[in-house]
Amino acid sequence: MSAAFDLLYSDTEEELRSAVRALLADRCTPADVLARAETGRPHDPELWHTLAAEIGTAGLLVPEKLGGQGAGHREAAVVLEELGRAVAPVPYLTSAVLATEILLGCDTPEVMGLLGELAAGRQVCAPALPLTQAPGAPLPAAVRDAGGGVLTGTVTSVADAVSADVLLVLADTGLYAVPAAEVSLTPRVPLDLTRPLATVTLDGAAGRRLADPATARAAVAGALLSGAGLLASEQLGLAEWCLTETVRHVRGRHQFNRPVGSFQALKHRLAQLWLDVASARAAARAAADALATGAPDAPLTVAVAQAYCSGVAVRAAEECVQLHGGIGMTWEHPAHLYLKRAKADSLALGTAGHHHALVADFAELPSP
C-alpha cells in the first residue's frame, strides 16, 4: 500500500510560485495574451526566455549533473498551475515536460547534449505526437525510416511545433531528433489560440537517432503519463482563476440595488464550484506527488486526476462566462480564452472518458 500523499506546498514551491506569478502578472496579462493570439503567433520568445532560462523552470525535471535544476514533478506542477492561471502562450508542457521526460526516459549518451540545451532554455523541443495522444493508448506508427535516419510520414495535431527548434520523432526504428527546418509544418486553426497546432510532414527528413524502438516507446509512454498528471495542475490553475474572477465580478456587479452575488442561486453555484476546485486541487497535488515519489500506483492517481480535473476546468470556465453576463460573451473579455483552453485541455493527453476507463482497469472494476 502506498504512503499517504503530501498535498501541501513546501516553502520552496511557494517561492517558485511567487516568482512565476510576478513574471506573468507583469508580462502576460489577459490583454497581452489576447493581443498575441490575434496575431496568429501567440508564442512570446522573450517571455519564454525569462521563464525558462532566467527563472530556470525549463530544467526543473532535469538532474543537476545534466545541467538542470534537479527539482521534480511537484515544482513543475506549481509552474503549470500559474501558467494555467494566466493561459500563458509558452511551450512549457510540450518542451519542459513531455520532450524532457522522453529524453530522460531514453537515458542514452545521444540525449545528454539536447537535454542540456532544453534545461538551459536555449532550445524548444516538441514531441511529434498528436496532442490527443493518451497514456495507455497504442502509440502511432505514422513515421517510417527509409534507411540511415531518413524519415517519411505525417503526424497531425502536434502542439507547439511552430515554435520548436527540434522535434522528437517516434519512427519504426526508434526515436529521432529532427531539426524543425527539416520538416514541413502546416499550421491548423486550433480551438485554443494560445497553444498552436500543426501538421508535421516528413519527406526525407534527416534525423539523429537517440534510442532504439523498445527504449523509445517506453520513454514516450512514461512521458505521456507524466504529462497527463501535470496537465491536471494546469487545469487546476485555470479553474482557480475562473472562480476568483467570477466571485470578484458578482460581488461588484449590482442588480436591483444589491450585488448579484448576494442572490442565493448564485451563492449555491459558486459554493459548489469552490468545492469542485478544492477537490481538483487535492487530485492534482496527489498526481504530482505520486509522480515525484515514483509511487507504484502513480498511473491510477494520474488517471483519477485527469478524469476529475478535466471536467472541473470546463465547468469553471463555463460558469465564468455565464455569470459574467453579457461582458463574458465578448471577445475583449478574457473568459473565452479560459473556456477554449479548458475545452482543448479536456482532449489533450486523453479525454476524461479514456481516463475513467483506465481507473476502472487499474481498480479492476467493470467499466461500461
Side-chain angles (χ1 to χ4, degrees):
M1 183 175 180
S2 298
F5 295 116
D6 181 2
L7 306 184
L8 302 178
Y9 298 96
S10 68
D11 291 341
T12 301
E13 291 165 2
E14 291 293 1
E15 290 172 5
L16 176 62
R17 180 195 304 282
S18 297
V20 174
R21 184 176 294 189
L23 171 66
L24 297 176
D26 181 51
R27 305 261 296 275
C28 190
T29 65
D32 294 331
V33 175
L34 188 57
R36 295 197 68 88
E38 288 175 334
T39 68
R41 298 183 63 85
H43 180 217
D44 185 344
E46 293 183 359
L47 174 63
W48 172 248
H49 175 76
T50 304
L51 180 70
E54 296 181 17
I55 296 181
T57 62
L60 289 175
L61 297 177
V62 180
E64 290 184 84
K65 65 180 180 180
L66 300 179
Q69 305 301 318
H73 297 85
R74 289 173 59 93
E75 291 80 6
V78 169
V79 174
L80 279 164
E81 282 184 36
E82 295 307 310
L83 296 178
R85 189 188 300 273
V87 286
V90 293
Y92 191 84
L93 179 67
T94 48
S95 185
V97 176
L98 291 172
T100 297
E101 288 275 34
I102 291 173
L103 295 175
L104 288 170
C106 290
D107 195 22
T108 59
E110 291 79 8
V111 307
M112 300 309 171
L114 183 53
L115 262 176
E117 291 293 299
L118 296 190
R122 289 189 292 266
Q123 287 194 334
V124 173
C125 187
L129 294 167
L131 183 59
T132 54
Q133 181 66 44
L139 294 175
V143 179
R144 301 292 178 185
D145 179 8
V150 177
L151 306 178
T152 303
T154 301
V155 186
T156 60
S157 301
V158 178
D160 295 323
V162 294
S163 59
D165 302 297
V166 180
L167 295 172
L168 294 182
V169 179
L170 182 64
D172 56 341
T173 56
L175 181 72
Y176 291 82
V178 180
E182 291 279 330
V183 306
S184 173
L185 297 177
T186 305
R188 300 301 181 190
V189 179
L191 173 62
D192 176 13
L193 300 177
T194 65
R195 183 170 281 153
L197 303 177
T199 296
V200 175
T201 303
L202 301 100
D203 187 9
R208 178 166 61 93
R209 191 168 186 260
L210 302 177
D212 61 77
T215 301
R217 288 185 169 271
V220 170
L224 291 172
L225 177 66
S226 294
L230 294 180
L231 179 62
S233 291
E234 178 179 292
Q235 293 165 327
L236 167 63
L238 186 155
E240 286 183 330
W241 183 92
C242 291
L243 174 60
T244 301
E245 185 65 18
T246 303
V247 170
R248 184 200 63 78
H249 175 77
V250 300
R251 290 178 67 180
R253 173 80 168 127
H254 284 67
Q255 194 73 283
F256 304 111
N257 204 31
R258 57 186 290 194
V260 296
S262 65
F263 293 106
Q264 191 173 32
L266 297 191
K267 286 183 178 180
H268 287 173
R269 289 172 65 171
L270 290 171
Q272 182 59 55
L273 185 57
W274 184 90
L275 291 173
D276 291 343
V277 171
S279 299
R281 184 181 302 108
R285 292 301 293 166
D289 190 63
L291 291 169
T293 58
D297 57 356
L300 172 60
T301 309
V302 167
V304 169
Q306 261 306 299
Y308 188 77
C309 294
S310 178
V312 170
V314 172
R315 286 197 299 275
E318 289 174 342
E319 290 286 65
C320 182
V321 171
Q322 290 187 12
L323 296 184
H324 271 77
I327 189 66
M329 304 292 180
T330 64
W331 179 264
E332 291 75 18
H333 195 279
H336 68 92
L337 293 174
Y338 289 84
L339 179 59
K340 291 168 183 174
R341 171 68 70 90
K343 287 285 190 180
D345 278 358
S346 71
L347 301 177
L349 301 175
T351 63
H354 172 82
H355 289 284
H356 275 118
L358 289 180
V359 170
D361 290 340
F362 293 140
E364 299 181 354
L365 296 172
S367 58

